[in-house]
């Protein structure tokens, strides 16, 4: 095959010589490929730039085989004669199957028949024209009026399937949108009613449901939490200061020990002070273990146990606000007219009122139970931690090392060895 430049140059020369571009009659051996073959090869080469001549030839033969089988399968359904009683009659000499057979024979004899080759390549390039197939509704020798083009049937089926799929997708999208709008509408209505109720309560215009005993317990819990947070803050400050003091005592003991080695005339005095500081440092580390356990327990009680109960209380207060909002709404509707539309709204408001009333009562019961359990847990934890704190502080400042260690054993407190929090040299690597 020549490139585009050579083809253009040859066309120009032929136009100059003869005044026309049409190719003249050729002589010699017949062409190995038809015009349709050439177009197919060019299109394949443009689509697959990495294919060589051998691969293009194999691709051409493979496509010819596939299209031949496709033509035979389509030809069997081109014309199906049906008698007036619904039975299939005998096929005439020019029926669809015989025409398909003749077409197949002409395709198989490609070398001897260039017409069959051109037909096959035309089918390979543009595809079989299924619009020309038809279904004969009449009997043998029927008129052309009984022929129904299959293109109209195919078009109607495709239109019906596409329209049904589009309708299904549209209905699904519409359902999701309607659901989102309904949820947004419900949320907006609920927020409006709760905001209205809250503003009415603040300005003293609306009534609210009050459980005096439960409200008192909740207020006591919040006050207790504030006081325990203050205890926790002071205990942490004590821990930090005492830790710094222990570190200072440790450094001072090391300095006294070093000076006792370098000052022979004051060796005994520096040695006594070094031993004292080391003993104080050891007892200080023991007391730090007890104080850390005390801080950890108070922190768990305040920031986990009490906080969980307060979260339930917040849910209870929100449920109370919603209950009062829907109660006020129901009372307003009950005072209005009693026509059909008003009765429908009253029934809907009554249902919402019952739902929020059940939610409010359930959360009130949960808050009551949690407050009871919290009080019992608080007494047990604080009794143990206060006893630990008292015994540890008393033993440390009394200089009773045995009592201090006994206190830690009593409360199952294990001290970490010095430097346990620091990673080892292997972990640092």
């Amino acid at each position: 095959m020549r490139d585009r430049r050579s083809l253009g140059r040859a066309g120009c020369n032929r136009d100059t010589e003869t005044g026309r571009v049409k190719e003249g009659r050729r002589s010699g051996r017949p062409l190995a490929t038809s015009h349709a073959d050439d177009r197919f090869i060019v299109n394949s080469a443009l689509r697959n730039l990495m294919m060589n001549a051998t691969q293009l030839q194999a691709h051409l033969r493979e496509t010819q085989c596939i299209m031949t089988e496709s033509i035979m399968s389509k030809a069997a359904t081109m014309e199906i004669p049906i008698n007036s009683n619904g039975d299939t009659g005998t096929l005439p000499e020019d029926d669809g199957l015989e025409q398909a057979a003749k077409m197949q024979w002409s395709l198989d004899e490609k070398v001897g028949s260039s017409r069959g080759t051109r037909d096959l390549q035309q089918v390979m390039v543009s595809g079989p024209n299924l619009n020309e197939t038809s279904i004969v509704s009449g009997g043998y020798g029927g008129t052309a009026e009984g022929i129904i083009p299959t293109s109209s049937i195919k078009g109607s089926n495709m239109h019906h399937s596409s329209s049904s799929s589009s309708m299904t997708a549209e209905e699904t999208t519409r359902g999701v949108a309607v659901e989102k709008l309904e949820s947004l509408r419900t949320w907006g209505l609920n927020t409006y009613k709760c905001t209205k109720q809250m503003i009415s309560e603040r300005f003293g215009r609306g009534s609210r449901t009050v459980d005096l005993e439960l409200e008192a317990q909740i207020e006591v819990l919040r006050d207790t939490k504030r006081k325990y947070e203050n205890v926790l803050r002071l205990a942490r400050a004590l821990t930090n200061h005492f830790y710094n003091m222990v570190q200072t005592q440790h450094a001072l003991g090391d300095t006294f020990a070093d000076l006792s080695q370098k000052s022979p005339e004051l060796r005994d005095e520096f040695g006594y002070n070094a031993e004292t500081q080391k003993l104080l440092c050891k007892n200080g580390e023991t007391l730090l273990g007890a104080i850390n356990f005390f801080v950890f327990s108070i922190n768990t009680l305040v920031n986990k146990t009490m906080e969980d109960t307060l979260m339930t209380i917040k849910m209870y207060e929100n449920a109370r606000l919603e209950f009062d909002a829907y109660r006020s709404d129901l009372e307003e509707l009950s005072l209005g007219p009693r026509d059909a539309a008003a009765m429908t709204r009253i029934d809907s408001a009554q249902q919402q009122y019952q739902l929020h009333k059940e939610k409010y009562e359930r959360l009130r019961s949960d808050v009551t139970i949690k407050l009871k359990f919290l009080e019992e847990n608080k007494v047990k934890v604080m009794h143990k931690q206060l006893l630990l704190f008292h015994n540890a502080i008393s033993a440390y400042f009394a200089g009773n090392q045995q009592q201090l260690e006994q206190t830690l054993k009593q409360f199952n407190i294990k001290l970490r060895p010095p430097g346990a929090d620091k990673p080892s040299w292997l972990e640092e690597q």
Side-chain angles (χ1 to χ4, degrees):
M1 296 179 63
R2 293 174 293 178
D3 58 359
R4 294 182 178 179
R5 294 182 180 179
S6 60
L7 289 175
R9 191 180 299 110
C12 293
N13 294 334
R14 186 163 54 253
D15 180 56
T16 303
E17 295 174 359
T18 62
R20 57 190 178 89
V21 186
K22 184 178 181 181
E23 296 182 0
R25 182 181 297 276
R26 296 186 180 185
S27 61
R29 63 183 182 85
L31 295 176
T33 58
S34 63
H35 181 64
D37 287 332
D38 295 339
R39 285 197 300 166
F40 179 79
I41 292 172
V42 171
N43 292 335
S44 300
L46 291 176
R47 293 190 185 99
N48 305 281
L49 300 177
M50 302 301 296
M51 295 179 65
N52 53 23
T54 305
Q55 294 175 346
L56 289 172
Q57 184 178 8
H59 183 52
L60 174 63
R61 292 179 180 176
E62 181 181 358
T63 307
Q64 290 175 353
C65 296
I66 294 174
M67 296 307 301
T68 302
E69 295 177 357
S70 176
I71 291 172
M72 287 302 298
S73 62
K74 298 295 182 180
T77 59
M78 285 183 180
E79 293 183 0
I80 305 176
I82 303 175
N83 294 334
S84 60
N85 58 357
D87 299 332
T88 57
T90 58
L91 296 174
E93 294 181 358
D94 57 347
D95 59 356
L97 293 177
E98 188 171 350
Q99 289 180 3
K102 289 180 180 180
M103 187 180 295
Q104 175 65 24
W105 297 335
S106 64
L107 292 175
D108 292 340
E109 297 175 357
K110 176 186 174 184
V111 178
S113 177
S114 61
R115 180 178 177 83
T117 303
R118 287 194 300 270
D119 293 340
L120 175 61
Q121 299 305 325
Q122 182 66 25
V123 170
M124 288 180 355
V125 175
S126 61
N129 187 8
L130 300 180
N131 295 327
E132 297 179 357
T133 61
S134 61
I135 299 177
V136 181
S137 61
Y140 180 78
T143 61
E145 295 177 356
I147 300 177
I148 304 174
T150 58
S151 60
S152 61
I153 300 176
K154 179 180 178 182
S156 62
N157 292 335
M158 292 177 62
H159 177 71
H160 178 69
S161 60
S162 61
S163 62
S164 62
S165 61
S166 62
M167 288 177 61
T168 304
E170 184 178 357
E171 290 177 357
T172 303
T173 306
R174 186 181 303 170
V176 174
V178 169
E179 183 179 357
K180 289 183 178 180
L181 288 175
E182 185 64 25
S183 62
L184 181 61
R185 175 181 172 275
T186 304
W187 173 82
L189 183 61
N190 187 39
T191 305
Y192 166 74
K193 291 183 178 181
C194 293
T195 306
K196 179 182 177 182
Q197 176 66 23
M198 183 173 58
I199 294 175
S200 300
E201 291 177 0
R202 288 187 177 180
F203 284 96
R205 297 177 181 178
S207 61
R208 55 170 297 181
T209 304
V210 179
D211 190 339
L212 297 178
E213 183 179 359
L214 186 60
E215 292 291 336
Q217 294 178 3
I218 292 174
E219 188 61 30
V220 169
L221 173 61
R222 287 173 175 165
D223 184 64
T224 303
K225 185 174 183 293
R226 286 192 294 268
K227 293 178 179 179
Y228 277 45
E229 286 177 347
N230 189 32
V231 171
L232 180 62
R233 180 179 59 83
L234 295 175
R236 285 175 174 171
L238 175 63
T239 304
N240 293 331
H241 295 318
F242 196 77
Y243 174 79
N244 293 329
M245 187 185 73
V246 170
Q247 294 299 318
T248 304
Q249 289 176 346
H250 187 274
L252 189 59
D254 292 340
T255 304
F256 285 158
D258 183 63
L259 289 175
S260 66
Q261 298 293 331
K262 297 180 179 179
S263 302
E265 64 279 3
L266 298 174
R267 178 179 301 174
D268 296 335
E269 288 79 1
F270 279 125
Y272 297 153
N273 283 277
E275 292 295 331
T276 302
Q277 294 300 324
K278 289 181 180 179
L279 181 60
L280 291 174
C281 180
K282 182 179 179 181
N283 294 338
E285 291 176 353
T286 306
L287 180 60
L288 272 177
I291 296 177
N292 286 330
F293 184 74
F294 175 80
V295 170
F296 176 78
S297 300
I298 299 297
N299 180 65
T300 304
L301 178 64
V302 172
N303 294 325
K304 292 185 179 180
T305 309
M306 291 185 178
E307 189 65 28
D308 179 70
T309 305
L310 289 175
M311 288 296 295
T312 308
I313 291 174
K314 290 180 181 178
M315 295 172 61
Y316 158 74
E317 291 177 347
N318 293 333
R320 197 273 312 163
L321 183 63
E322 293 178 355
F323 167 69
D324 287 338
Y326 282 93
R327 178 181 55 79
S328 301
D329 188 22
L330 180 60
E331 291 176 355
E332 292 178 2
L333 291 176
S334 299
L335 297 176
R338 293 302 183 94
D339 55 353
M343 292 302 298
T344 303
R345 290 194 296 270
I346 289 174
D347 293 339
S348 177
Q350 183 70 28
Q351 294 177 1
Q352 294 294 329
Y353 168 76
Q354 291 295 333
L355 291 176
H356 288 85
K357 181 180 179 181
E358 293 176 358
K359 180 180 179 182
Y360 165 71
E361 291 178 351
R362 183 178 66 253
L363 287 173
R364 183 176 61 178
S365 176
D366 294 343
V367 169
T368 303
I369 294 173
K370 283 197 172 185
L371 286 174
K372 182 179 179 181
F373 287 161
L374 176 62
E375 185 65 24
E376 295 177 356
N377 187 26
K378 183 191 68 173
V379 171
K380 292 180 181 179
V381 171
M382 292 308 299
H383 175 76
K384 177 180 178 180
Q385 296 304 319
L386 291 174
L387 183 62
L388 166 66
F389 190 80
H390 174 267
N391 294 340
I393 293 292
S394 300
Y396 173 79
F397 285 100
N400 193 343
Q401 181 180 1
Q402 295 180 353
Q403 184 180 356
L404 183 60
E405 295 177 354
Q406 185 66 28
T407 301
L408 297 183
K409 291 180 181 180
Q410 179 182 356
F411 292 95
N412 297 323
I413 301 175
K414 296 181 179 180
L415 296 178
R416 295 182 180 180
D421 296 335
K422 298 181 180 179
S424 63
W425 65 272
L426 185 59
E427 293 175 348
E428 292 179 354
Q429 296 295 328

